[in-house]
Amino acid sequence: MMRSILAGAGALAALTSGAFAADLPSRLAPPVYAPPLLPAFTWTGGYFGVNAGYAFDSDTRVTTVDGAGDANGVATGFRPGSIKASADGFTGGGQIGYNLQVPGFGGGFGGPGSGIVIGVEADAAYTDLSRGTAVSLNGATSSFRTGLDYLGTVRGRFGYAFNQFMVYGTGGFAYGGVNDRANFYSGGNGALEYAGHTDDMATGYAYGGGVEYALPTSSLLNFFKSSAVTIKAEYLHYDLGKTDVATTATGANAATGTYTVRFKNEGDLARAGLNYKF
């Protein structure tokens, strides 16, 4: 009988102890919240966009070479042998291209989504690039006008991406519509004695570099509200070679002969762009 009483008392004590322990606060650490991992941005894919900026040629030289007949003004001090004729203006256009972010290259420097990016881009832009200059020597005026109506390029791009930010260099083929003119006036009655003009497409090369950034979907510039919208800032130098303009006698004042006026078609663009990657 005594043993039964003791066994019942022990079971009751065990139940009471368990219930009391259940009321005590838990000593286990709360679970750690792990936010969901966002996918790394990739630059691989095609894209198209628009650009606008400023074009200028800070060191354009115009050279005049004497010809036959009365076209000897450089030697006699009436025409400038060389003169600076810089120009500047607005540029705006569009571009299309393709990037490939190479897996395994670059060693992952910069974290997830980082690596080497190679690509190709073609663009075409209107350029309001035109300016005239004139000089008077011994009373004879010589005027020159240089201009670029449009510029297009087909370039390779090579860069490194730090996830949504990329820095790159670029270079390749360039073409443009050059518009050059030379007029030589008499030192006596001011008649137009010699005139020459060219309006043609010239080819050459372009190179430069830039930076590009994938906009967050909350950005005001991201009107697509898509992770595929990028903005860029770019600088390009172009060289379309030299153009020789035959500046021939108009017949005024019985002038004869032909000058050769050489225009250097070289300049720079600083522009910003907006791309949509698809």
Side-chain angles (χ1 to χ4, degrees):
M1 180 68 179
M2 182 59 67
R3 289 182 180 180
S4 300
I5 293 174
L6 291 175
L12 179 62
L15 290 174
T16 304
S17 175
F20 178 74
D23 292 336
L24 293 176
S26 173
R27 295 185 180 182
L28 296 177
V32 177
Y33 172 73
L37 294 177
L38 296 177
F41 182 81
T42 177
W43 290 89
T44 294
Y47 62 90
F48 66 93
V50 294
N51 65 74
Y54 174 67
F56 59 98
D57 52 359
S58 57
D59 191 25
T60 298
R61 308 298 300 183
V62 179
T63 304
T64 302
V65 179
D66 286 340
D70 295 332
N72 60 356
V74 176
T76 57
F78 287 89
R79 307 299 174 192
S82 180
I83 188 173
K84 185 176 179 179
S86 62
D88 60 356
F90 167 81
T91 177
Q95 65 272 347
I96 186 170
Y98 185 87
N99 289 320
L100 176 64
Q101 188 163 347
V102 185
F105 281 78
F109 176 75
S114 300
I116 289 176
V117 179
I118 57 176
V120 62
E121 180 176 286
D123 69 271
Y126 163 78
T127 55
D128 182 23
L129 190 67
S130 179
R131 181 173 292 180
T133 186
V135 61
S136 182
L137 299 176
N138 295 316
T141 299
S142 304
S143 70
F144 307 90
R145 177 168 290 275
T146 179
L148 183 69
D149 299 327
Y150 61 88
L151 179 70
T153 70
V154 180
R155 295 170 285 107
R157 299 206 309 171
F158 184 86
Y160 193 88
F162 300 87
N163 198 8
Q164 292 176 264
F165 178 80
M166 178 173 67
V167 58
Y168 64 89
T170 182
F173 173 75
Y175 63 93
V178 297
N179 188 346
D180 300 323
R181 180 183 299 273
N183 290 328
F184 294 163
Y185 299 89
S186 165
N189 57 12
L192 177 61
E193 291 186 328
Y194 296 87
H197 173 245
T198 184
D199 188 354
D200 202 0
M201 187 180 77
T203 60
Y205 60 89
Y207 62 87
V211 294
E212 193 164 354
Y213 176 67
L215 291 172
T217 56
S218 59
S219 172
L220 292 177
L221 292 176
N222 193 344
F223 44 85
F224 289 107
K225 300 305 176 186
S226 166
S227 61
V229 177
T230 69
I231 57 172
K232 70 175 183 177
E234 184 175 67
Y235 173 87
L236 288 180
H237 178 80
Y238 67 88
D239 189 336
L240 302 179
K242 298 177 176 64
T243 303
D244 288 343
V245 178
T247 305
T248 59
T250 63
N253 300 332
T256 61
T258 301
Y259 291 94
T260 298
V261 181
R262 175 167 292 175
F263 292 83
K264 185 178 181 183
N265 305 304
E266 184 177 2
D268 302 271
L269 288 86
R271 61 190 182 184
L274 183 70
N275 286 327
Y276 180 78
K277 186 172 75 70
F278 54 88

